[in-house]
Amino acid sequence: MHFVLIAAHPVLEGFAHRIIHAFIEGLDQSKHTYDIIDLYREPVQQNFLTFEAGKPWTKDADKRVHYQERLEKADQLLIAHPLWWGGQPAILKNFLDNNLTPGFAYKYTKKPWWLPSFLNLKPRGLFQKKVHIYITCDAPVWLYSLLFFPFFSIWYFFVLNFCGMKLGSLHLYGRMRWKSEQKRTRILNKVQEKAKYL
């Protein structure tokens, strides 16, 4: 099984990177392979998505192909990112914008004759991978529960489900700025243990 691990944190010592390395340590590397996409340090950097008149998805096509080929090889994905302003860092959002494109990740199909057009809401998902998401934040988890975890809805309904992906797991770790190293180590041990059974 091949894993693509996406890190979206600018600090190498950040907990998102530690999660990814704990996951790698847990993998049985005689059975599994992996590829790390560190969005802040990749030699191939994608610009913010723009649409030229009449020519969508043509700018930076070589960069897009580079990442889509790496993503396509994955059996499962792991994404680790901090929660900034209630959502993903801009660099991760831009990665999704650039690479989960029509024809690669989803495709609109002709609706059945009996389905009213206003109900033809969702395309056919083409990118059928299992995804594990690890999110870190400084606010307490209970605060987001009061808000019904809006980032969960975005990930699940508007990214994964839209493109045919399955959510393997989603983990939210709160109060990271104030967590002791002992508590951080316990989290990393659980991540490592989870990787052993994938």
Side-chain angles (χ1 to χ4, degrees):
M1 188 176 294
H2 183 66
F3 291 85
V4 171
L5 316 172
I6 301 173
H9 198 293
V11 181
L12 268 176
E13 295 77 22
F15 201 67
H17 286 276
R18 293 181 69 183
I19 286 171
I20 284 179
H21 290 294
F23 188 87
I24 290 169
E25 288 173 13
L27 287 178
D28 181 348
Q29 294 182 29
S30 64
K31 296 180 180 178
H32 305 305
T33 57
Y34 65 88
D35 176 17
I36 300 176
I37 298 177
D38 183 346
L39 295 181
Y40 284 93
R41 291 167 188 82
E42 282 291 314
V44 177
Q45 287 290 325
Q46 292 177 295
N47 297 314
F48 283 100
L49 182 65
T50 58
F51 285 89
E52 288 71 35
K55 296 181 180 178
W57 310 110
T58 56
K59 187 176 181 181
D60 294 330
D62 55 334
K63 295 179 180 179
R64 187 169 296 112
V65 167
H66 168 81
Y67 284 111
Q68 287 182 342
E69 286 179 347
R70 291 170 72 179
L71 291 170
E72 188 59 44
K73 290 177 183 175
D75 296 297
Q76 298 191 42
L77 302 176
L78 182 147
I79 301 171
H81 71 84
L83 196 66
W84 287 351
W85 304 108
Q88 308 147 356
I91 198 167
L92 177 55
K93 182 66 167 62
N94 188 58
F95 182 80
L96 301 177
D97 289 345
N98 269 292
N99 300 305
L100 297 184
T101 57
F104 174 77
Y106 62 92
K107 180 182 180 181
Y108 282 102
T109 56
K110 188 176 180 181
K111 67 179 182 65
W113 63 268
W114 48 264
L115 183 69
S117 59
F118 68 88
L119 290 178
N120 193 32
L121 302 175
K122 186 177 173 292
R124 180 162 63 94
L126 303 176
F127 192 64
Q128 298 179 3
K129 312 288 184 180
K130 183 181 281 189
V131 182
H132 306 277
I133 300 172
Y134 289 83
I135 303 173
T136 62
C137 63
D138 288 334
V141 172
W142 63 260
L143 175 63
Y144 294 108
S145 68
L146 295 178
L147 301 171
F148 303 104
F149 299 106
F151 47 86
F152 173 84
S153 296
I154 292 169
W155 267 119
Y156 185 80
F157 293 107
F158 299 104
V159 180
L160 305 183
N161 190 258
F162 192 89
C163 296
M165 292 181 270
K166 302 295 182 187
L167 180 63
S169 58
L170 188 146
H171 307 269
L172 175 66
Y173 303 112
R175 305 288 289 173
M176 290 306 303
R177 187 181 299 269
W178 297 277
K179 269 192 171 48
S180 66
E181 188 56 33
Q182 184 180 19
K183 289 181 178 178
R184 290 169 182 251
T185 301
R186 280 204 295 266
I187 292 171
L188 295 173
N189 288 341
K190 288 180 181 178
V191 172
Q192 188 173 341
E193 194 66 22
K194 179 179 176 60
K196 292 178 181 179
Y197 298 99
L198 292 177

